[in-house]
Amino acid sequence: MYHSLIKLFIYKALLNFSNNIFLKLIPKSHLSYLTFSKPINEAKICLFINPFLYNNCRKKIKKYLNKINMCPLNIDSHKDLLDSLKVRGVIEDDDVYNTMIQVDRGKYIKENPYADTPVYICQGVTISSPHMHALSLKQLMGVLKPGARAIDVGSGSGYLTVCMAMRTEVLKNKNSFVIGIERVKDVVDFSLENIKNDKPELLKLDNFKIIHKNIYKLSEEEKEMLGLFDAIHVGASASELPQVLVDLLAENGKLIIPLDEGYTQVLYEITKKNGKIIKDRLFEVCFVTLKKN
């Protein structure tokens, strides 16, 4: 009995010691995720967390998660999601924040809507990660203004298309025109239902549309009817820059598109100046494929 009490005392002392050490490490280590063994952002090493220790200090951990450069584990609102992206430095532009805050991601996907991860919809189609939506909007902010014409290719759930509509103020600016184009009929129906439940007033406008069409199958007549666009976003990776999108891009317009490069994909910003195309390589990404069929 005496020896058991001594062992218990030693164990408790060691646990308290490790607890204090761990709490001191949290703000310095910049954990990328918090489970029982996950890599640290900068050092790219693993910090092993005692599950009993985690239970004892999870409230303090949650407080630190909102301060350092990481995505919190449990986010249950759209505002908290955007605030976390702001803390992490993903959203640096107030225009991006003010645009995204108007469109609750929870209205466009039911499974893990506030997790910073892509979510599968159906038939090989996903809704992109919130950080990708934020970064894409950031690149387009210069041309995505009230009165602008914008097209979202591979519009999926309809989330980013509606963000574009909010940014261009289609409800009160009749010169604005926003269109989402999606090749999968079931996904088109899904997005229309989402918009109907969130912002049904958009579906009554002539300058906002969601259409079922493969961008590669646009005829010359259809391209002429659509006109030119100041902002084009593509939510799927193409093997090469589609000529149809170059044709639809207005002078000084911007096109954001992921392109295949060997075994990886790279997000590009395409600008048209004096009729010529300027390609700016941004960063590596991972998207579904922009299918021609």
Side-chain angles (χ1 to χ4, degrees), residues 15-29 31 34 47 49 53-54 56-64 68:
L15 187 60
N16 287 335
F17 176 76
S18 62
N19 185 17
N20 291 332
I21 293 295
F22 176 66
L23 289 177
K24 290 178 181 179
L25 284 175
I26 289 177
K28 298 179 181 178
S29 61
L31 300 178
L34 190 63
L47 179 65
I49 302 173
L53 175 63
Y54 169 73
N56 287 338
C57 62
R58 59 187 174 185
K59 289 184 180 179
K60 294 182 180 180
I61 289 170
K62 186 175 181 180
K63 181 179 71 174
Y64 284 119
I68 61 179

Side-chain angles (χ1 to χ4, degrees), residues 44-57:
K44 295 193 182 295
I45 58 176
C46 286
L47 179 65
F48 291 89
I49 302 173
N50 186 310
F52 298 105
L53 175 63
Y54 169 73
N55 287 332
N56 287 338
C57 62

Side-chain angles (χ1 to χ4, degrees), residues 146 169 282:
E169 299 180 356
L282 300 179

Side-chain angles (χ1 to χ4, degrees), residues 55-90:
N55 287 332
N56 287 338
C57 62
R58 59 187 174 185
K59 289 184 180 179
K60 294 182 180 180
I61 289 170
K62 186 175 181 180
K63 181 179 71 174
Y64 284 119
L65 284 173
N66 292 324
K67 293 182 178 179
I68 61 179
N69 186 24
M70 67 174 65
C71 184
L73 294 178
N74 298 315
I75 299 180
D76 54 11
S77 78
H78 187 63
K79 185 179 184 303
D80 287 346
L81 167 62
L82 297 186
D83 288 343
S84 74
L85 292 177
K86 199 169 184 178
V87 169
R88 291 162 58 200
V90 175

Side-chain angles (χ1 to χ4, degrees), residues 87-287:
V87 169
R88 291 162 58 200
V90 175
I91 296 179
E92 301 174 314
D93 190 328
D94 288 341
D95 288 336
V96 173
Y97 185 93
N98 293 335
T99 296
M100 295 182 71
I101 199 68
Q102 298 179 66
V103 193
D104 190 333
R105 185 176 164 94
K107 301 285 184 66
Y108 293 81
I109 198 75
K110 300 304 179 187
E111 180 185 351
N112 299 322
Y114 306 121
D116 191 11
T117 181
V119 178
Y120 182 75
I121 298 175
C122 70
Q123 297 189 39
V125 178
T126 64
I127 177 174
S128 294
S129 303
H131 76 264
M132 277 308 310
H133 282 154
L135 292 171
S136 296
L137 284 171
K138 176 185 176 181
Q139 297 302 131
L140 291 172
M141 275 295 127
V143 293
L144 196 63
K145 300 176 180 180
R149 294 171 55 84
I151 182 170
D152 184 18
V153 179
S155 53
S157 70
Y159 177 80
L160 193 66
T161 316
V162 175
C163 285
M164 288 176 155
M166 295 298 100
R167 170 63 179 170
T168 57
E169 299 180 356
V170 295
L171 286 167
K172 58 183 180 181
N173 193 321
K174 299 306 178 184
N175 292 324
S176 299
F177 181 67
V178 173
I179 181 171
I181 183 168
E182 172 58 54
R183 68 176 184 85
V184 180
K185 182 62 166 61
D186 288 346
V187 178
V188 172
D189 294 339
F190 175 69
S191 66
L192 288 172
E193 188 65 25
N194 293 335
I195 298 168
K196 180 181 178 182
N197 292 331
D198 183 31
K199 301 188 184 301
E201 62 274 19
L202 290 177
L203 299 179
K204 301 175 183 178
L205 301 176
D206 292 329
N207 57 337
F208 177 87
K209 298 182 182 298
I210 301 289
I211 64 172
H212 174 219
K213 187 76 179 182
N214 188 325
I215 192 68
Y216 285 108
K217 305 295 184 181
L218 282 181
S219 66
E220 291 300 320
E221 183 180 357
E222 287 172 323
K223 285 196 293 184
E224 187 175 343
M225 288 177 61
L226 286 175
L228 301 179
F229 292 90
D230 305 294
I232 301 178
H233 170 266
V234 184
S237 184
S239 57
E240 59 185 8
L241 181 60
Q243 184 59 45
V244 61
L245 296 180
V246 174
D247 295 341
L248 290 173
L249 190 61
E251 180 69 17
N252 296 319
K254 287 190 176 182
L255 158 64
I256 302 299
I257 182 172
L259 297 175
D260 297 340
E261 287 191 359
Y263 294 103
T264 188
Q265 300 170 355
V266 176
L267 193 68
Y268 275 89
E269 178 183 289
I270 311 295
T271 308
K272 184 181 283 188
K273 289 190 178 293
N274 299 320
K276 296 182 179 180
I277 292 300
I278 300 171
K279 294 175 65 176
D280 290 323
R281 194 178 194 273
L282 300 179
F283 45 83
E284 292 186 0
V285 290
C286 184
F287 278 80

